């Protein structure tokens, strides 16, 4: 069999295993609460309205009286088939709660996922043309600075500067969940800007480290000795290989975007999955929390799988490695 | 005369105490102005966190005015919506986040180092199991994992620290394991094995001393990340809650008065940012001094 094909197949199988473990973590994190999902959903002061028989009956209806392993099996099968069940108290399908928010958040996040590496690579190339030079120093300093800024602070600074001082964008988005895509995208400019700040810094720093390593390697020295001009050396010979550490950081990057989406949506009141997650957590609505957490991990694993394949395409040395990195 | 008889048996007088010098990597790091700025900021924040209740002009919970007031002679940063002195609350705003992050990350680094050393040195199915578990935990975005675990464990200082420890251990495991795999192939480990050294001795006496720099960098990097995440959690209203002063929470509350009194948002934002910037600037110098690159901490 084609070695690359079998490597991809292997990664795919590994991703499946990881997804199973993630389901386990989500299960442990949410089901084995002190008490159970039902007790968690009903606030302390409302419990006096329920008798023990009520609780037992509701538990039986929800299937919470079955042993944990059975419930885990069922939850796992449901999650991987994207069947998220119903909420505990109102018994409405979870998918109805999360469908539109997910679409909205995906619209915003996909712009960020496309723009971030482009900006990072542009900055990385500029910095790498003269390593240790003034431009390199300034870009590295600024990215370290912006990497350290909390994203909710960055978002609020953008609101103060762009919305309050310059009046270019609305500070808070008053837009319904079911708004059409173009409307969602048109209000996403400021949120996306706030969202990419730390991701650009993270990817730039990995790219810079990869560039420093690559420029020291023998194949670059060989190209330099054979008279390849410096800019061509950096952009054509070194850059593809220098992308590898950045691509290896994809899981972290996607996870960062998801965390960022939750925070940024809370700042701008953007009608997306982050706001929905915050609502679900504060109302302790376990099935919705499980669904969103699982989908977030799914996005991270899928992103990582794509990045792994991209590494195989970019770095010939990775294709020759047979064992796991 | 008897005392002289035994003089030759006495240990020689201790040599005059030499001024203790810092290890070379640290001295090298201190030459960079950015590192110095970072260390100054971190020390400032640590001192502030320790002594805030002593040096703050008012108690953090005392209600002194009716509602929000602008800065004045009595209240340098004014008072918040409830009428509590804002400067005093600002000074205490990083204490819980910092304490929880330090406790949790310290536990994570210790656990992660032991697991990473073990997995990296022994290899085999144990290594595979540990690595897949870390993959799984790390696939859940940190902030979401923290939020979900806080739902289970609660919001007390101890439970928050445990949550931070759980969330950050896998990352440390990966970093230490990657370095250990490289070290384990070297001659000095082969030599130790041939001498018949025990497993704990090889792990902690032979391998671990080579990881000091990396561990210090890990501790600091994860700390800055944990402070950010715990503050974000409070900002979302899912973490530290009233009446405890916390920068994340203060930023959230100030968003309602952002049009009229943006200063109420900017003050805690500066507090939080300067802490994280301080840690990251210090780490950057520390990492360069110990030769730890960005690719080491992102294996």
């Amino acid at each position: 069999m084609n070695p690359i094909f079998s490597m991809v197949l292997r990664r795919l199988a590994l991703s499946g295993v990881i997804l199973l473990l993630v389901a386990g973590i989500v299960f442990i994190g949410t089901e084995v609460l002190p008490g159970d999902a039902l007790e968690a959903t009903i606030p302390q002061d409302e419990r006096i309205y329920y008798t023990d028989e009520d609780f037992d009956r509701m538990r039986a209806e929800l299937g919470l009286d079955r042993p944990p392993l059975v419930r885990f099996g069922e939850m796992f099968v449901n999650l991987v088939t994207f069947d998220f069940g119903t909420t505990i108290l109102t018994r409405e399908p979870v998918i109805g709660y999360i469908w539109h928010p997910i679409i909205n958040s995906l619209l915003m996040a996909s712009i960020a996922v496309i723009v971030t590496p482009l900006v990072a690579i542009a900055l990385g190339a500029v910095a790498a043309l003269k390593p240790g030079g003034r431009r390199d120093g300034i870009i590295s300093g600024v990215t370290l600075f912006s990497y350290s800024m909390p994203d909710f602070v960055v978002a609020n600074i953008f609101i103060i500067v762009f919305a309050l001082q310059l009046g270019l964008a609305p500070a808070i988005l008053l837009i319904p969940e079911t708004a059409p895509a173009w409307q969602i995208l048109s209000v996403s400019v400021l949120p996306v800007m706030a969202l990419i700040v730390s991701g650009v810094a993270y990817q730039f720093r990995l790219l810079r480290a990869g560039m420093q390593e690559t420029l020291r390697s023998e194949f670059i020295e060989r190209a330099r000795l054979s008279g390849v001009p410096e800019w061509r050396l950096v952009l054509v010979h070194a850059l593809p290989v220098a992308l590898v550490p950045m691509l290896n950081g994809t899981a972290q990057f996607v996870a960062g975007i998801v965390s960022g989406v939750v925070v940024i949506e809370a700042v701008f009141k953007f009608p997306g999955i982050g706001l929905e997650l915050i609502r679900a957590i504060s109302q302790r609505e376990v099935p919705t929390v499980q669904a969103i957490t699982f989908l977030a991990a799914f996005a991270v694993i899928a992103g990582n799988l794509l990045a792994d394949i991209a590494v195989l395409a970019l770095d010939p040395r990775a294709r020759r490695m047979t064992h796991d990195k | 005369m008897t005392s002289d008889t035994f003089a030759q048996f006495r240990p020689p007088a201790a040599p005059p105490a030499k001024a203790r010098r810092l290890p070379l990597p640290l001295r090298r790091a201190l030459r960079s102005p950015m590192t110095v700025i970072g260390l100054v900021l971190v020390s400032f924040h640590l001192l502030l966190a320790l002594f805030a209740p002593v040096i703050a002009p008012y108690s953090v919970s005392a209600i002194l005015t009716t509602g929000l007031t602008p800065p004045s002679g009595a209240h340098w940063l004014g008072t918040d919506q409830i009428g509590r002195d804002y400067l005093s609350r600002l000074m205490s705003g990083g204490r819980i986040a910092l304490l929880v992050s330090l406790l949790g990350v310290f536990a994570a680094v210790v656990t992660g180092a032991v697991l990473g050393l073990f997995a990296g040195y022994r290899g085999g199915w144990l290594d595979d199991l540990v690595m897949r578990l870390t993959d799984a935990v790390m696939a859940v975005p940190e902030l979401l994992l923290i939020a979900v675990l806080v739902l289970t464990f609660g919001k007390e200082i101890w439970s928050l620290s445990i949550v931070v420890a759980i969330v950050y251990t896998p990352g440390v495991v990966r970093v230490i394991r990657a370095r250990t795999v490289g070290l384990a192939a070297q001659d000095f480990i082969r030599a130790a094995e041939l001498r018949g050294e025990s497993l704990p001795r090889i792990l902690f006496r032979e391998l671990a001393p080579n990881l000091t720099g990396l561990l210090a960098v890990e501790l600091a990097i994860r700390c800055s990340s944990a402070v950010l995440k715990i503050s974000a959690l409070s900002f979302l209203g899912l973490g530290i809650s009233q009446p405890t002063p916390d920068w994340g929470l203060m930023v959230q509350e100030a968003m309602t008065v952002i049009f009229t009194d943006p200063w109420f948002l900017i003050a805690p934002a500066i507090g939080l940012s300067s802490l994280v910037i301080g840690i990251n600037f210090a780490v950057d110098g520390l990492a360069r001094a110990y030769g730890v690159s960005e690719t080491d901490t992102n294996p």
Side-chain angles (χ1 to χ4, degrees):
Chain A
M1 195 163 39
N2 184 341
I4 296 180
F5 184 68
S6 71
M7 260 170 142
V8 171
L9 216 59
R10 197 180 119 80
R11 296 273 156 89
L12 207 61
L14 265 181
S15 302
V17 174
I18 294 167
L19 214 55
L20 175 76
L21 291 171
V22 166
I25 291 166
V26 174
F27 181 75
I28 295 170
T30 51
E31 284 273 327
V32 193
L33 292 151
D36 56 23
L38 179 66
E39 278 180 38
T41 320
I42 300 171
Q44 201 80 47
D45 45 339
E46 285 178 25
R47 283 198 201 143
I48 46 166
Y49 301 116
Y50 299 88
T51 61
D52 283 348
E53 289 82 60
D54 285 340
F55 269 117
D56 288 341
R57 185 176 44 77
M58 286 159 81
R59 263 193 202 111
E61 275 172 20
L62 294 162
L64 286 172
D65 50 352
R66 293 169 302 160
L69 217 57
V70 176
R71 282 186 285 127
F72 172 64
E74 188 198 54
M75 189 200 79
F76 178 70
V77 171
N78 286 349
L79 283 181
V80 292
T81 51
F82 297 98
D83 167 13
F84 300 118
T86 56
T87 59
I88 289 188
L89 283 188
T90 51
R91 311 299 292 275
E92 289 166 90
V94 169
I95 194 75
Y97 279 99
I98 61 177
W99 179 252
H100 282 291
I102 283 182
I103 300 291
N104 295 347
S105 294
L106 274 180
L107 283 171
M108 175 167 77
S110 53
I111 306 176
V113 168
I114 295 166
V115 173
T116 307
L118 292 181
V119 179
I121 291 170
L123 289 176
V126 170
L129 283 176
K130 225 179 183 185
R134 185 196 272 167
R135 258 183 307 200
D136 183 25
I138 292 175
I139 298 178
S140 303
V142 170
T143 50
L144 185 57
F145 188 81
S146 66
Y147 183 60
S148 311
M149 297 286 277
D151 31 19
F152 58 91
V153 167
V154 172
N156 274 305
I157 292 174
F158 282 4
I159 288 183
I160 292 176
V161 173
F162 293 103
L164 299 186
Q165 303 291 325
L166 302 175
L168 293 175
I172 284 173
L173 313 175
L174 299 167
I175 190 164
E177 218 172 80
T178 50
W182 64 267
Q183 213 175 346
I184 296 286
L185 285 175
S186 68
V187 296
S188 295
V189 179
L190 213 50
V192 166
M193 274 169 60
L195 186 57
I196 68 171
V197 166
S198 69
V200 165
Y202 174 72
Q203 292 204 327
F204 167 78
R205 293 179 66 76
L206 284 179
L207 182 60
R208 188 169 174 274
M211 201 54 123
Q212 283 173 340
E213 237 159 69
T214 311
L215 286 177
R216 277 197 302 265
S217 63
E218 283 169 357
F219 79 93
I220 291 294
E221 194 55 32
R222 189 205 159 276
R224 183 177 285 132
L225 288 175
S226 57
V228 175
E230 199 62 28
W231 66 267
R232 207 181 140 78
L233 207 64
V234 168
L235 296 182
V236 180
H237 293 253
L239 190 61
V241 178
L243 287 176
V244 170
M246 187 181 115
L247 285 166
N248 284 339
T250 300
Q252 279 284 81
F253 165 65
V254 177
I257 290 275
V258 175
S259 293
V261 160
V262 175
V263 172
I264 298 294
E265 288 185 358
V267 175
F268 288 94
K269 304 284 178 284
F270 182 94
I273 201 65
L275 275 190
E276 183 59 25
L277 177 70
I278 296 167
R279 185 197 65 76
I281 290 183
S282 32
Q283 297 179 0
R284 316 198 114 216
E285 201 181 278
V286 174
T288 313
V289 176
Q290 282 177 338
I292 297 175
T293 315
F294 183 79
L295 284 173
F298 183 81
V300 172
I301 292 168
N304 200 33
L305 191 66
L306 289 177
D308 275 349
I309 295 170
V311 169
L312 289 178
L314 283 174
D315 192 351
R317 289 171 299 184
R319 286 198 285 271
R320 257 178 269 128
M321 285 199 307
T322 43
H323 59 89
D324 201 9
K325 61 171 191 285
Chain B
M1 280 299 163
T2 40
S3 62
D4 277 350
T5 322
F6 294 102
Q8 54 177 320
F9 299 115
R10 284 193 207 104
K18 255 192 284 180
R20 273 182 66 93
R21 301 185 75 188
L22 288 166
L24 183 67
L26 288 184
R27 265 183 287 148
R28 227 183 298 152
L30 285 175
R31 274 185 227 137
S32 146
M34 255 168 63
T35 314
V36 176
I37 293 174
L39 287 174
V40 168
L41 278 173
V42 170
S43 328
F44 169 76
H45 274 288
L46 284 176
L47 289 174
L48 188 67
L50 276 175
F51 297 112
V54 187
I55 50 178
Y58 301 93
S59 149
V60 292
S61 50
I63 294 166
L64 305 158
T65 59
T66 48
L68 192 144
T69 57
S72 64
H75 304 284
W76 289 0
L77 291 179
T79 55
D80 68 6
Q81 287 101 319
I82 306 179
R84 299 169 296 193
D85 183 59
Y86 208 60
L87 178 63
S88 305
R89 289 184 73 74
L90 188 70
M91 289 165 93
S92 291
R95 300 184 84 204
I96 305 288
L98 199 54
L99 178 67
V100 161
S101 303
L102 282 172
L103 285 175
V105 169
F106 186 75
V109 167
V110 173
T111 325
V114 173
L115 279 174
L117 277 168
F118 202 65
Y121 179 66
R122 287 302 284 275
W125 66 270
L126 200 101
D127 186 29
D128 279 336
L129 179 72
V130 171
M131 289 310 279
R132 294 298 83 78
L133 274 174
T134 62
D135 280 338
V137 179
M138 290 171 79
V140 185
E142 281 166 10
L143 187 62
L144 268 63
L145 188 57
I146 293 180
V148 168
L149 290 177
V150 165
L151 190 67
T152 308
F153 282 85
K155 299 174 184 174
E156 284 77 45
I157 289 179
W158 281 111
S159 31
L160 283 176
S161 309
I162 293 171
V163 168
V164 168
I166 295 175
V167 172
Y168 286 97
T169 301
V172 181
V173 171
R174 287 191 82 91
V175 170
I176 298 301
R177 182 231 174 231
R179 179 65 72 88
T180 305
V181 168
L183 287 171
Q186 287 183 21
D187 286 342
F188 73 101
I189 295 300
R190 185 96 186 91
E193 283 165 357
L194 290 176
R195 284 199 306 273
E197 303 277 13
S198 66
L199 177 69
R201 231 189 126 76
I202 290 180
L203 291 187
F204 299 113
R205 282 307 196 49
E206 303 284 340
L207 287 168
N210 294 290
L211 302 168
T212 340
L214 192 59
L215 280 174
V217 172
E218 276 297 295
L219 189 72
I221 292 182
R222 310 280 167 191
C223 249
S224 84
S225 168
V227 168
L228 278 179
K229 294 295 177 317
I230 291 290
S231 306
L233 196 70
S234 331
F235 171 78
L236 297 177
L238 304 174
I240 301 161
S241 45
Q242 285 284 9
T244 312
D246 178 86
W247 290 327
L249 202 57
M250 288 163 88
V251 170
Q252 186 215 29
E253 285 161 5
M255 278 180 68
T256 51
V257 292
I258 193 171
F259 297 97
T260 47
D261 305 271
W263 178 247
F264 276 87
L265 193 146
I266 292 167
I270 290 176
L272 179 57
S273 309
S274 65
L275 171 60
V276 182
I277 287 168
I279 301 176
N280 283 352
F281 275 24
V283 178
D284 197 54
L286 200 67
R288 264 180 293 149
Y290 278 105
V292 177
S293 97
E294 219 87 18
T295 44
D296 289 323
T297 48
N298 286 284

